[in-house]
Amino acid sequence: MSQQQFDVVVIGGGPGGYIAAIRAAQLGFKVAAIDEWKNDKGGPALGGTCTNVGCIPSKALLQSSEHYEHAGKHFAEHGIGVQGLSLDLAKLVGRKETVVKQNNDGIQYLFKKNKVTFFHGRGSFVAARDGSYEIKVAGAKEETVLAKHVIVATGSNARALPGAPFDEETIVSNDGALRFTEVPKKLGVIGSGVIGLELGSVWRRLGADVTILEGLPTFLAAADEQVAKEAKKAFDKQGLKIELGAKVGEIKAGKKGVSIAWTDAKGEARTLEVDKLIVSIGRVPNTVGLNAEAVGLKLDERGAIAVDDDNRTNLPGVWAIGDVVRGPMLAHKAEEEGVAVAERIAGQHGHVNFATIPWVIYTSPEIAWAGKTEQQLKAEGRAYKPGSFPFLANGRARALGDTTGFVKILADATTDEILGVHIVGPQASELIAEAVLALEFKASAEDIARTTHAHPSLSEATKEAALAVDKRTLNF
Ligand code: FAD
Ligand code: NAI
């Protein structure tokens, strides 16, 4: 059995782990990265949940399904007639697989370029000795590596409903939901969070009759209330059925589909019969097979690896980042933590600003926000000035034929500092970048209002929302 010594070993090759490994290598460390994800041929598939069954494949399917919906429902408005529109689902899903593979291969290339030594297999702690950690890699062959610093980035797994385990055929997590071989006629979804809305939208656009059962009485409770209301109106119009305040009872899966007993918000007992059921009720941190006990690595009450604000665990030299620790389960949060930890190991002052992490939901309309919501500011008793601008009054949005939604800016009543930006509408995922930068630079609404924005562009709605804070919009 070979045993190699490294400065830094990263366990997990998702967005947190692979970025941490690259940054550590850039800083001059000898780095190993271990990841166990297998492609359908048993080979490595770097990029973790995000690349294989998360961010990337979901966005590929969202794009394809949106094209399909546009061709079927919206091209006519542009004077474009489509005859014999058809759907080749195998090809559509196949394209998604190609996009995933391009990303898998891209990360392997980046490892080579940055001289990160990659091990394909499961990494687990063996022991701590002489100021180093011994990590076993169980892959095609068994190897051990030694390192002074270990970064754990083992991600998360989908949470199952008690009594309804995933079979990934009929009751599916995000994994099965990204590779149905037929469009389900009736699709049930439990949970109207980010996955429920994104994947519910994909299959609705492709022809499924989608019902989402959400436990909470409030739709998208984490978003700004006005944004959530506008988005709900749009989803209702599209025919995405969202039942709020639903209490899910017994779930029976048979050959023909799934039967879900549930109680509606009025307390009435109901049954939902569907061909397939997506369960998207959140994710749980993944420490399976890490053998954390061998070295006494502490977990918190949720099963996440316990870390301080700087991602230090209870063990000297052991760090943890991404979905396996506290904080939002987002790829860009994992990446930022990866960079910060590599820099801290190098004695630098790595930093992640949790107050400016953007949230994006890639539905149609897209939803994106950064900073505080109006309800949060009210609860804090902070005096603020709101400014909104509708896409209906934006020339580019009209030209695109997509005028749903608005941009809303919340600024401090006294200093004019931007406290939150909330967008529902076209390209919200791209527009939010300006807002994040503004928050990062502690810009005022006046700063955005006085910045030239290209015309015609959707970003002018952001400028106008900033003008609206001071009640001086020019185009509304
Ligand atoms: P992961 O990406 O989960 O990677 C962990 C890796 O570690 C995996 O490859 C795993 O196999 C490996 N591993 C685990 N244990 C071991 C071990 N012991 N040894 C070796 N390897 C191990 N976030 C966004 O920001 N934007 C989005 O659009 C978005 N879309 C999403 C869509 C879906 C359907 C889902 C499910 C998630 C989405 N997310 C999105 C969330 C995002 O995927 C996660 O936040 C992100 O992947 C977390 O990165 P990570 O590096 O912490 O973990
Ligand atoms: P989520 O936390 O976004 O939503 C889960 C929803 O399920 C909540 O609305 C919750 O109230 C509801 N719920 C929980 N238990 C329930 C029950 N028993 N019955 C009915 N409803 C119930 O989790 P989701 O959608 O599974 O996604 C997991 C994570 O993945 C997200 O937190 C997000 O961080 C990440 N993600 C990010 C994306 C993005 O950034 N665009 C896209 C997809 C996922």
Side-chain angles (χ1 to χ4, degrees), residues 190-191 193-195 198 214-216 280-283 329-330 360 362:
I190 315 267
V194 201
I195 295 180
E198 289 188 358
E214 166 58 46
L216 288 178
S280 48
I281 56 168
R283 298 178 62 82
M329 288 186 168
L330 295 172
V360 179
Y362 296 79

Side-chain angles (χ1 to χ4, degrees), residues 33-258:
I34 307 168
D35 187 82
E36 65 177 341
W37 205 292
K38 288 188 184 134
N39 62 24
D40 52 6
K41 295 186 183 67
L46 277 161
T49 300
C50 180
T51 302
N52 291 296
V53 291
C55 330
I56 301 298
S58 60
K59 267 78 249 177
L61 293 188
L62 278 156
Q63 187 62 50
S64 300
S65 60
E66 191 160 18
H67 282 325
Y68 182 67
E69 180 155 86
H70 276 256
K73 296 190 181 154
H74 304 301
F75 276 13
E77 295 157 27
H78 297 260
I80 303 168
V82 178
Q83 267 132 40
L85 180 68
S86 67
L87 179 68
D88 181 342
L89 185 62
K91 193 161 178 186
L92 188 151
V93 172
R95 173 188 174 274
K96 173 212 70 173
E97 301 295 346
T98 306
V99 174
V100 167
K101 187 162 186 319
Q102 285 164 347
N103 283 271
N104 296 143
D105 294 348
I107 300 166
Q108 247 182 330
Y109 160 78
L110 290 171
F111 275 180
K112 279 204 187 95
K113 184 181 155 198
N114 288 282
K115 302 194 173 44
V116 171
T117 308
F118 173 56
F119 294 87
H120 188 212
R122 171 166 289 186
S124 58
F125 284 100
V126 178
R129 57 178 153 85
D130 307 331
S132 280
Y133 293 89
E134 185 181 342
I135 311 283
K136 181 174 86 179
V137 186
K141 54 182 176 171
E142 199 166 294
E143 294 171 272
T144 60
V145 293
L146 286 170
K148 209 169 154 221
H149 289 277
V150 180
I151 304 175
V152 182
T154 45
S156 63
N157 293 318
R159 182 193 301 280
L161 264 177
F166 296 120
D167 58 18
E168 298 301 353
E169 287 294 329
T170 316
I171 301 180
V172 301
S173 68
N174 54 294
D175 183 5
L178 289 161
R179 51 181 171 83
F180 288 145
T181 49
E182 271 175 53
V183 178
K185 280 199 178 58
K186 294 192 80 182
L187 173 66
V189 181
I190 315 267
S192 71
V194 201
I195 295 180
L197 291 174
E198 289 188 358
L199 296 184
S201 293
V202 165
W203 294 107
R204 182 201 60 73
R205 290 169 189 168
L206 297 179
D209 174 5
V210 181
T211 304
I212 307 183
L213 303 180
E214 166 58 46
L216 288 178
T218 318
F219 179 62
L220 276 183
D224 188 88
E225 269 170 20
Q226 226 181 325
V227 165
K229 206 169 144 203
E230 181 80 5
K232 176 78 167 45
K233 213 166 67 187
F235 298 144
D236 287 347
K237 208 165 137 196
Q238 290 162 10
L240 198 60
K241 287 176 242 159
I242 303 169
E243 299 281 358
L244 299 173
K247 204 163 174 297
V248 174
E250 199 185 356
I251 297 181
K252 284 191 222 144
K255 281 233 158 59
K256 286 207 179 125
V258 193

Side-chain angles (χ1 to χ4, degrees), residues 16-17 20 151-155 311 319-325 333-334 337-338 341:
I151 304 175
V152 182
T154 45
N311 298 85
W319 311 72
I321 58 170
D323 280 13
V324 79
V325 303
K333 176 264 193 183
E337 286 185 329
V341 163

